[in-house]
Amino acid sequence: MNILVLNGSPRPGGNTAAMVEAFVEGASENGHNITVVPVCQRKIAGCLACEYCHTKGEGKCVQQDDMQEIYPILEEAEMIVLASPVYYHSFTGQLQCAVNRIYALDKPKNLKKAALILSSGSDHVYSGAIYEYQNSFLNYLNLEDMGIYSAFGKQNISEEKLNELREFGRSLK
């Protein structure tokens, strides 16, 4: 299965990156093709709401930035994983820009499954990110929910949490 992970953490070696790495380890064992895009290290602007993609652009965004490299991967992906630290009850701004730009494709043709990985410093702060995931991805894109994995504080890089994410990756068919 082709899996696209959009990692929204601005810290390359942080908690979210460790959780993503554990997931990738497990999923790789089953031969899945996984592409991790660290969106904070890419130049991705927010959607301009110009509607070029749905009028003259025929599914192509007018903005020529690093999102252009992600679109072909997204079109081939059968599963998308959103990974983000939780900042003020939602995704990082950088991940939100990438999520909003998926609008140009409307509904990626092969995408069937989604999962969410969230990291935070404290518990009970996930509601905004979960709402966005459930409504913008699962409901609108009609995707199968493969799970929501969250950790806070010392759980973030605990061996127990990382093993849970490895096992999740291994479990994918």
Side-chain angles (χ1 to χ4, degrees):
M1 173 167 43
N2 292 323
I3 302 171
L4 171 61
V5 179
L6 296 178
N7 180 355
S9 177
R11 292 181 17 199
N15 296 330
T16 304
M19 294 168 72
V20 165
E21 186 176 311
F23 165 74
V24 169
E25 283 176 32
S28 295
E29 289 178 21
N30 280 343
H32 296 293
N33 179 29
I34 305 139
T35 303
V36 178
V37 177
V39 297
C40 295
Q41 281 73 54
R42 301 291 191 272
K43 183 178 170 118
I44 300 173
C47 178
L48 297 174
C50 66
E51 288 297 323
Y52 176 84
C53 58
H54 296 291
T55 56
K56 300 175 198 163
E58 298 176 358
K60 299 201 183 327
C61 183
V62 71
Q63 297 186 78
Q64 297 301 306
D65 59 12
D66 290 343
M67 196 67 192
Q68 297 303 324
E69 298 168 18
I70 299 170
Y71 285 133
I73 301 165
L74 185 57
E75 281 285 75
E76 295 302 317
E78 297 158 273
M79 180 175 175
I80 188 168
V81 178
L82 302 179
S84 182
V86 175
Y87 292 170
Y88 208 66
H89 303 277
S90 196
F91 304 135
T92 59
Q94 297 93 325
L95 179 59
Q96 192 63 57
C97 284
V99 167
N100 289 352
R101 294 281 296 285
I102 293 172
Y103 176 71
L105 300 177
D106 190 31
K107 296 181 180 179
K109 61 184 176 192
N110 294 312
L111 204 55
K112 304 286 183 252
K113 301 176 181 185
L116 182 62
I117 298 173
L118 299 173
S119 170
S120 74
S122 60
D123 202 6
H124 307 297
V125 296
Y126 308 111
S127 60
I130 291 170
Y131 179 86
E132 175 80 14
Y133 167 73
Q134 289 174 332
N135 291 284
S136 293
F137 276 80
L138 300 182
N139 293 343
Y140 179 73
L141 295 175
N142 195 30
L143 301 177
E144 178 183 354
D145 182 10
M146 301 306 291
I148 297 172
Y149 298 85
S150 62
F152 69 96
K154 291 180 182 179
Q155 288 180 347
N156 281 302
I157 54 172
S158 69
E159 202 53 41
E160 181 181 344
K161 184 54 68 175
L162 297 179
N163 282 334
E164 178 185 1
L165 286 156
R166 283 184 198 101
E167 188 54 42
F168 166 52
R170 285 183 197 111
S171 73
L172 295 173
K173 304 288 183 230

